[in-house]
Amino acid sequence: MSFDDSPTGERPPQALPPSAESDGREGEQPAPWAQPASGPQNPTTEPSSLPELPPFPPDPPSNDASTMPAIKTSAATADAERPSDDSFPRRPTAWTPTRDAVEAVGQAAVLQRAFINNGEQVGTKYVYEQTLDSHAPISPEYLAVVHEVYAEPRYEDRLAPSSFKQALEALRAAGSVLVISRPPNSSRTFTAYALFAHLLDDGVITEVRPLPFGGSKHFPTRRLPHDRRCGYLLELPPDEDDFAVEDSFGANLNKLVERLQRRDCRLIVLTRPEQWRRISHGAPDGVAPELGTVDPRDIAERWLLGQEPDFPADQWLDHPNIKRLLTGQAPTDVLNLVHLMLEEHRAAQSAAADASDPGQTLKHQRDGSPRLTFEEQVVNVAAAHSNWEDALYMWHEPEGRSRTSFERNFLLAAAVLRGDPVGHVYARAAKLTEQLDSAKVEVDGQREPGVIAMTRAIGAEREDDGTLTFTRPHWDDAVIEYFWNDRPLARTTFLKWLAQAPVLDTNTSREALEIISRDGRLALAERVGQFALQWAVRHRRQTPLERIVEEWYKHGATKELWPLAVELLDSAATHAASAPYIHSMLLAWSNRSQPHLQRAVVEVCTGAFGRRHTAKALRRLRNVAAQGRPDVLDVLREAVRVLWEDATVRQMLFGYVVDWCKSDTTSQTVGHRTFTALALNSPPEATGLPPLLQAMSEESLDEEDSFRPTVQGLVTGWRTLLRQAAGPTGERDLDKAVFTWLDAALERHELRSVIFDTLRRAVNVPGTEGPVLRETLRTSAQWWVQGQDRPYAEEKEDLKRELSALLDQDLIARRNQPVVSQPVSPSTPGDEPQGDAEVNAA
């Protein structure tokens, strides 16, 4: 099946294998949780062949086949089909992924390889970007890749069944639950998908779906969808600040089993060891088995042959230098090594093809043959694996002479600005030298070495289009790594130069007649951002990303570099390799007062991070809102709208909004804007009910995720709107809200009582403020009856008269109340009417 010819989230008609229900398992009732027998275990090593992977996204509905990568699978049709329930899609017995699909998934699995080679590979970007719909099924093509490359753990006793296979057999029973308790980035997600891929191929399940935990601390049984024969993957959110998964989660698994059994579904839960120790009390025995360890050589072999079926795997993997590099390596490091071996092997094959081309003869005579022997390829892989440190040291510290500062900076600039014209690299290297060494380099005359001399000095090749290339694999990345390690006191200055490189180059090279295009600057910005991200995550330092965010914010939040910065952070916050650190960094930023950091946090919370980790995003927005900065109010309002779409966090979100409306410091800023975001449609001209009224009208209130805003909370928000001063010229948010809610009261009779009750109580306050709020509401209601672009209607007049009569009743009732001497805090207006201090002021 091709990604180009199937609609989003749908699966083509597929044949179930004839053995799916004829093997006797349908009538069996084994234990409904995975409980493999114990076997040889080593809990200190990783369980699988790959780090965490994002779900393979479903097909975008508007994909153009001419621009999409060739990521396809082939399937053998079953010889015979059995009758099946028409509600289940039918599928072939086997999927075989293409090498392009395997390579795209492999590159996406390793964060630092997601954007390499002077731009993005379309297939890699396609896999790297995760779908925002956390309910969408996992693509069968993606699961086919997992099935193809997953290396199962093996033991000395090869006759003994592996714990992986035992877990797989236990999951065949309807209602089975398996808990994988592993730290992040330890292949737990990939292992879960491998188990599901087997079940899918065997026809035990028809679909695999991620299951969002939601924003509450509980996971009720009603959260399970009503689909049949599905495999669900549930990742528990980590404990953080004032949020922790309820201690009773383990015990509640028994209730989940009952619901899963009725619908013939299976569930795999991902958690962390320290979290599972806290919440596992009462869980079924054997629900969280140790799944064993894996040999790094097996990981490498499966991935190599998955991408190149004819790859000489034994020759490479049995070489002493490669065996040494594989020993004790984590899956991510193994996958990096796999990429290096593939690159060298393919480069050698390409060079061999070029050598047979008569047109290349003169070039080979001049430059020497580019074809490397196998031993030379291994040497290159080993050197690239160590970031070419020895070779770079020899270049930086040659015998008999000393490299000039300009030479060193030209090499560094060429590594960063790969793909840019050499004249631009030359000019930017001079700027870098000036910033690092406080020494001006005259590059517009003939005092300094020229481009040709500098190109040869750094061992680069000048292409016909004026760009520079390095012949050694990943030499440019190693150059940056070497500088970072070699010059720690120059890092801050370098980061400033790095962040400004995409900003200030529009006319830097005008003298050289080499102007960098907009696309070139954006490509450079992506490379710069990825470098900063890699260093921030690897070394747990916020400074690289802070510098990028600061400089690109100065450039303008409405210009093209700022969205790139937000997209970089958002992608990193949803990629398993970087998410743990980025989540903690965003939390730290949310408590700082710098506008660029605050805006970055809010916009990331509005993106994929907010949709996937809604509860986390909500807590970060709470911290930002506490700062009350006016320059982030608009994006904060949009973030509230986005998070409201997750029904599981509405109660918590509404509570925060009400608190912001109560606070003196945030009521007329954050409180006003965020309550307006929920009280109005977006955009204002949109039809239908605004979010708050929609929640008030929803049925199925017995569902545990449903939430009906309290009238008391609505009253607090409405008082914030009514306290709005004269406001800007023209229509105020208050007027828009009054118009929207009175329209709803006119059209939806069942909402009239709650709307009137809310508005009445909002203006029924003691003191001199009461008449002001009441008159403000009356005025807006009159504008609703007949105002600019709002024609008069008799039914609107009747509704306004009804509301006004109710307000008068409340005023009379307040006048008739006995005066009670009760202190009232002037700084925190109560949500309930108090006393009769308003009698004389009314």
Side-chain angles (χ1 to χ4, degrees), residues 120-151:
E120 301 172 7
Q121 298 184 15
V122 177
T124 302
K125 181 76 179 286
Y126 182 58
V127 181
Y128 180 76
E129 291 182 342
Q130 302 175 57
T131 171
L132 300 184
D133 185 1
S134 59
H135 298 274
I138 304 302
S139 165
E141 289 87 347
Y142 175 79
L143 294 172
V145 173
V146 175
H147 190 285
E148 180 77 9
V149 302
Y150 182 77

Side-chain angles (χ1 to χ4, degrees), residues 96 149 328 340 422-423 520 648 667 703 780 827:
T96 303
V149 302
L340 292 173
V422 65
T648 67
S667 62
E703 290 290 338
S780 291
S827 60

Side-chain angles (χ1 to χ4, degrees), residues 653-663 671 674-675 710 712-714 716-717 720 831:
L653 176 59
F654 185 70
Y656 286 165
V657 171
V658 171
D659 287 342
W660 297 334
C661 289
K662 288 180 180 179
S663 170
T674 54
F675 184 80
T710 63
Q712 189 59 50
L714 295 176
T716 301
T720 299
D831 287 336

Side-chain angles (χ1 to χ4, degrees), residues 276-295:
W276 181 242
R277 284 191 293 269
R278 181 178 60 80
I279 66 175
S280 61
H281 303 292
D285 294 336
V287 74
E290 172 59 47
L291 294 179
T293 62
V294 66
D295 187 341

Side-chain angles (χ1 to χ4, degrees), residues 6-256:
S6 63
T8 303
E10 296 182 3
R11 190 178 299 176
Q14 300 164 346
L16 286 168
S19 61
E21 292 187 358
S22 60
D23 57 0
R25 285 194 299 267
E26 186 70 20
E28 296 177 3
Q29 294 296 329
W33 44 80
Q35 191 172 0
S38 60
Q41 300 173 357
N42 183 358
T44 62
T45 55
E46 304 303 338
S48 178
S49 57
L50 196 68
E52 306 282 357
L53 288 184
F56 202 69
D59 308 334
S62 60
N63 285 346
D64 184 352
S66 64
T67 61
M68 289 304 301
I71 304 179
K72 303 181 180 180
T73 60
S74 60
T77 305
D79 295 332
E81 297 181 2
R82 62 164 177 80
S84 63
D85 190 339
D86 291 339
S87 64
F88 299 145
R90 296 182 298 175
R91 62 182 308 282
T93 56
W95 293 87
T96 303
T98 65
R99 53 193 286 183
D100 291 338
V102 176
E103 186 162 0
V105 173
Q107 290 185 358
V110 185
L111 180 64
Q112 60 264 33
R113 305 189 67 84
F115 299 92
I116 64 171
N117 297 332
N118 191 27
E120 301 172 7
Q121 298 184 15
V122 177
T124 302
K125 181 76 179 286
Y126 182 58
V127 181
Y128 180 76
E129 291 182 342
Q130 302 175 57
T131 171
L132 300 184
D133 185 1
S134 59
H135 298 274
I138 304 302
S139 165
E141 289 87 347
Y142 175 79
L143 294 172
V145 173
V146 175
H147 190 285
E148 180 77 9
V149 302
Y150 182 77
E152 295 183 17
R154 63 181 183 179
Y155 306 106
E156 294 181 3
D157 183 2
R158 294 180 178 271
L159 298 179
S162 71
S163 57
F164 177 86
K165 284 187 169 60
Q166 293 179 68
L168 178 62
E169 289 305 310
L171 277 170
R172 294 182 184 277
S176 299
V177 175
L178 174 72
V179 175
I180 300 180
S181 176
R182 293 272 183 178
N185 302 325
S186 61
S187 303
R188 56 182 190 165
T189 306
F190 198 70
T191 299
Y193 284 150
L195 291 165
F196 280 142
H198 280 278
L199 296 179
L200 190 68
D201 279 345
D202 294 341
V204 177
I205 58 176
T206 60
E207 201 168 55
V208 179
R209 289 177 176 269
L211 197 59
F213 185 84
S216 67
K217 299 179 181 182
H218 303 269
F219 187 82
T221 56
R222 291 192 179 96
R223 292 292 320 280
L224 288 174
H226 293 170
D227 303 87
R228 294 184 57 83
R229 298 181 65 191
C230 276
Y232 296 115
L233 181 62
L234 173 64
E235 179 179 358
L236 302 187
D239 301 337
E240 179 185 89
D241 285 350
D242 56 350
F243 179 87
V245 176
E246 186 62 35
D247 291 348
S248 61
F249 177 84
N252 288 337
L253 286 178
N254 296 286
K255 297 180 180 179
L256 293 177

